[in-house]
Amino acid sequence: MNISKIILVQPPIQDFYLTKKRTIPYGLASIAASLINNGFDVEILDCLASQKSKKIEWPKEFSFLKPFYGKNDISAFSLFHAFRHFGYSYEYIGTKIREKEPFIVGVSSLFTAYSNESIKTAITIKKFYPNCKIVLGGHHPTLFPEKVLECDAIDFVLRGEGETSMTDLCEALKNDTDLRQVPGIAFREKDAYFISDSAWIPDLSAIPIPENRLINHGFYQRKNRASTTIVSSRGCPMQCSYCSISASSAHAPFRQRSVEDVLDEIKLQTKDMDVGFIDFEDENLCLNKKWFIKLFSKIKLYFKDKKIELRAMNGLYPPAIDEEIVCLMKDCGFKTLNLSLGSTSKTQLAKFNRPDVRKAFEKALDLSQKYGLKTVSYIIAAAPGQTAESSLKDLLYLAQKRTLVGLSIFYPAPGSLDYELCKNNKILPDDFSLMRSSALPLNDTTTRIESATLLRLSRILNFMKHLIDSEGTLPELKPFYSLKNPETINREPLSRILLQWFLHDEKIRGIHPNGEIYIHLADIHLTQTFINQIKNIQIQGVNPQINSIGYPVG
């Protein structure tokens, strides 16, 4: 066994869907860089970098969702249906680890909803190759170290940020020195646990540029060009109650990398790869305007002769956006602004610890229109104490704006204020795996049937916006009628017909791949209110190049 050989593993996941452009193992590449700088031989086994996905049986704890997702739908209003295992099989992972014979295996466990997959990955690795030491790190083991260490296959937990602590742990194991001196470590000790405080890195310049050559960039291509990720800051200075890395959470404080470090990373990533897409995975990219202008002015010059699309998919805080920033973003290669609205309800915003940003939001939309940028605007529904009627008002507000709607169903994020609120009110889901939006985790002041209805209404609204952009109008209302051989109809024309029926009788229909037309389970009060209200407003499209004035439903 090579005591300097380390493999870092991104586990497979099991869910209704996977957004692979958000799964680049950037954190593992950052830890790998620190290890390599200290003389270790490191590989990343990215178990999601595979086109393989396999339908699996729904887990028992998800069975309550069958009434909402149980029937396949090929229309534009579909939500979820098949539960799948995305990525390599556990047996393949175990076999690969055994072939490589590492001394230490680090397994990522970022999200509590997927912690079962991380633990099963560790169990499988230990079964196939019992000689290695297994470390679990990430947000989940940071908050639940004892729970994770109940699994005998896991030797150590690292809490907090892993660049320094993983290196220190590997050095301690290699040299047989005191493990208690490793920052952020937790492990079993006779009949108890040794658990140290989470380790956070105060100065991000102290860590090297992520070792992106270890990432399978071929898998993450977009339009036959490489796609990559940049993280220019950690933590968040905002106080949002639902967020696990906000200033009100158990996470470290907000820290921002220097402009020079970020630019060096971009140059390194784009030097040997034909990069066509870069996502800045920051919580609030443009909060520090001076820093933002300095960085992106340099990026603009560097990308002068390159066609690279930039994106900030975690969302931008509208009050931080002004014309100088939007103009610079356009010049740098941004095509879409992802805007964080949260809610339009002052009552709900107070619960979220967020200010009312509507004026700044509308200004950002105007600037996006001026500079030809599309927008996606995010709202949260089904949070504790939040009503479906409040979320419907948010939808109707966005119906009148030139933006796509991104409606996110609330899930309790461990470490956040709202997680503790749900815990104290005894409304947490029974299983860690249900801590995800697709599981409709809460059945509180917004019921699950209302949550599912709001999701479908957001898809219906986005489809209406698409029709306004593509056809210049909305279709007329029509009563339901039988379709002959509907399975031969393309998705868009079919969805157009389903929309006509919905606007006529308020029933949200789906169509099975076998041609069967059926009615989705939905809250009739919400669908009726939605249709009654949109008759009195001007629905706007999305495309900033089309000067539509909006269309009422007649």
Side-chain angles (χ1 to χ4, degrees):
M1 180 191 296
N2 180 357
I3 61 173
S4 293
K5 180 68 176 179
I6 301 168
I7 296 181
L8 304 177
V9 180
Q10 172 160 258
I13 71 168
Q14 296 179 349
D15 206 336
F16 295 105
Y17 70 100
L18 174 71
T19 308
K20 75 176 186 178
K21 62 188 174 185
R22 305 299 299 275
T23 64
I24 295 174
Y26 183 90
L28 293 184
S30 185
I31 292 172
S34 293
L35 289 166
I36 290 170
N37 275 11
N38 284 273
F40 290 96
D41 178 13
V42 186
E43 291 184 39
I44 291 177
L45 178 58
D46 183 359
C47 302
L48 288 176
S50 167
Q51 298 295 348
K52 295 181 178 179
S53 72
K54 178 183 177 182
K55 284 186 181 181
I56 59 176
E57 291 294 322
W58 285 40
K60 289 182 180 179
E61 65 268 23
F62 284 77
S63 59
F64 69 91
L65 293 169
K66 287 279 186 179
F68 309 112
Y69 304 153
K71 208 162 189 174
N72 201 353
D73 182 5
I74 61 173
S75 80
F77 315 143
S78 63
L79 297 179
F80 314 109
H81 174 58
F83 209 82
R84 308 185 76 91
H85 177 101
F86 293 97
Y88 297 137
S89 69
Y90 293 111
E91 292 73 19
Y92 177 85
I93 299 167
T95 301
K96 293 299 289 185
I97 296 295
R98 184 171 59 194
E99 289 175 358
K100 294 177 180 295
E101 298 184 336
F103 177 48
I104 300 170
V105 177
V107 180
S108 174
S109 184
L110 292 179
F111 301 103
T112 292
Y114 304 127
S115 58
N116 289 343
E117 289 92 317
S118 298
I119 290 171
K120 189 169 181 179
T121 297
I123 291 171
T124 305
I125 290 171
K126 188 71 86 170
K127 177 183 176 182
F128 276 72
Y129 190 61
N131 292 330
C132 71
K133 299 293 185 182
I134 297 182
V135 186
L136 222 70
H139 185 73
H140 179 75
T142 293
L143 293 173
F144 303 104
E146 292 186 18
K147 185 70 176 176
V148 170
L149 287 170
E150 289 176 5
C151 174
D152 292 338
I154 298 167
D155 299 291
F156 305 102
V157 157
L158 289 179
R159 309 179 67 214
E161 294 164 338
E163 287 86 353
T164 300
S165 56
M166 184 65 174
T167 301
D168 288 351
L169 172 59
C170 293
E171 292 281 5
L173 291 171
K174 182 180 178 180
N175 300 316
D176 195 25
T177 55
D178 186 6
L179 293 171
R180 289 169 172 258
Q181 300 305 310
V182 175
I185 197 168
F187 55 88
R188 288 179 294 276
E189 194 175 51
K190 295 181 180 179
D191 296 328
Y193 297 107
F194 176 81
I195 300 175
S196 61
D197 293 337
S198 298
W200 306 109
I201 299 169
D203 181 8
L204 298 182
S205 66
I207 56 179
I209 292 174
E211 195 64 56
N212 280 284
R213 65 182 178 84
L214 299 180
I215 294 175
N216 180 2
H217 287 283
F219 175 74
Y220 295 104
Q221 283 189 343
R222 290 165 58 96
K223 300 178 181 178
N224 297 317
R225 300 180 71 193
S227 175
T228 191
T229 294
I230 299 288
V231 177
S232 67
S233 63
R234 297 186 184 183
C236 180
M238 307 292 289
Q239 299 280 337
C240 307
S241 63
Y242 49 79
C243 181
S244 61
I245 67 169
S246 73
S248 65
S249 73
H251 199 269
F254 177 69
R255 292 145 296 155
Q256 196 160 39
R257 296 169 62 192
S258 71
V259 166
E260 291 71 26
D261 281 354
V262 177
L263 195 63
D264 285 346
E265 180 179 347
I266 291 172
K267 289 179 179 179
L268 187 63
Q269 289 207 40
T270 56
K271 178 182 177 182
D272 300 319
M273 289 192 304
D274 178 26
V275 174
F277 183 87
I278 299 177
D279 176 34
F280 287 84
E281 280 284 324
D282 294 76
E283 291 305 308
N284 283 290
L285 185 62
C286 55
L287 275 182
N288 183 340
K289 181 178 177 179
K290 183 178 179 181
W291 176 93
F292 182 92
I293 296 296
K294 183 178 179 182
L295 174 62
F296 282 88
S297 294
K298 292 178 180 292
I299 289 175
K300 175 184 173 181
L301 291 175
Y302 182 68
F303 286 162
K304 181 173 56 176
D305 300 319
K306 301 179 177 70
K307 292 184 178 180
I308 298 179
E309 181 181 353
L310 306 184
R311 195 85 174 258
M313 297 177 74
N314 269 345
L316 302 170
Y317 183 54
I321 298 171
D322 61 19
E323 184 159 7
E324 185 179 8
I325 284 176
V326 174
C327 179
L328 183 56
M329 293 177 83
K330 170 72 172 181
D331 289 344
C332 286
F334 280 85
K335 295 181 180 179
T336 303
L337 297 188
N338 295 56
L339 301 174
S340 175
L341 178 62
S343 175
T344 62
S345 164
K346 291 186 178 181
T347 300
Q348 188 57 48
L349 288 169
K351 294 177 182 177
F352 284 156
N353 288 345
R354 280 183 64 94
D356 187 345
V357 299
R358 269 178 293 180
K359 287 185 178 179
F361 170 75
E362 291 173 5
K363 180 181 177 183
L365 289 181
D366 289 341
L367 290 171
S368 300
Q369 175 80 8
K370 178 177 179 179
Y371 288 95
L373 298 173
K374 293 183 179 179
T375 62
V376 182
S377 302
Y378 294 104
I379 55 174
I380 297 173
Q386 188 176 18
T387 65
E389 290 77 11
S390 169
S391 299
L392 184 60
K393 289 179 181 178
D394 293 340
L395 278 180
L396 294 168
Y397 170 80
L398 292 177
Q400 302 168 78
K401 307 299 177 186
R402 298 190 63 79
T403 180
L404 277 177
V405 177
L407 185 142
S408 299
I409 296 297
F410 170 90
Y411 67 92
S416 68
L417 292 177
D418 281 342
Y419 181 88
E420 294 303 316
L421 176 64
C422 292
K423 182 178 179 181
N424 293 335
N425 291 345
K426 301 187 185 325
I427 58 174
L428 279 178
D430 293 331
D431 195 282
F432 276 151
S433 64
L434 299 176
M435 307 285 188
R436 64 183 83 182
S437 293
S438 60
L440 309 180
L442 299 191
N443 196 36
D444 189 38
T445 44
T446 298
T447 65
R448 288 196 174 101
I449 188 172
E450 289 174 329
S451 294
T453 305
L454 289 166
L455 276 175
R456 291 200 194 277
L457 289 176
S458 69
R459 280 159 171 71
I460 289 171
L461 179 56
N462 283 338
F463 184 69
M464 295 169 76
K465 287 171 172 282
H466 164 71
L467 290 181
I468 289 172
D469 284 342
S470 60
E471 300 180 10
T473 188
L474 290 172
E476 61 183 7
L477 288 61
K478 286 188 178 179
F480 174 75
Y481 57 91
S482 297
L483 291 176
K484 294 181 180 180
N485 300 320
E487 68 274 13
T488 63
I489 301 178
N490 291 331
R491 187 173 192 250
E492 183 166 321
L494 172 63
S495 300
R496 193 177 186 279
I497 294 171
L498 296 182
L499 175 62
Q500 290 177 297
W501 294 340
F502 168 68
L503 295 175
H504 181 267
D505 62 18
E506 303 158 354
K507 296 176 181 177
I508 304 176
R509 291 176 175 84
I511 182 163
H512 193 273
N514 66 13
E516 176 196 357
I517 297 170
Y518 62 93
I519 298 173
H520 283 298
L521 181 64
D523 183 90
I524 189 63
H525 172 70
L526 288 178
T527 58
Q528 287 177 343
T529 305
F530 177 82
I531 290 175
N532 288 335
Q533 291 295 318
I534 62 173
K535 291 177 180 178
N536 301 313
I537 63 176
Q538 295 287 321
I539 301 175
Q540 293 283 353
V542 175
N543 193 332
Q545 306 300 330
I546 299 176
N547 293 317
S548 63
I549 59 171
Y551 294 88
V553 175

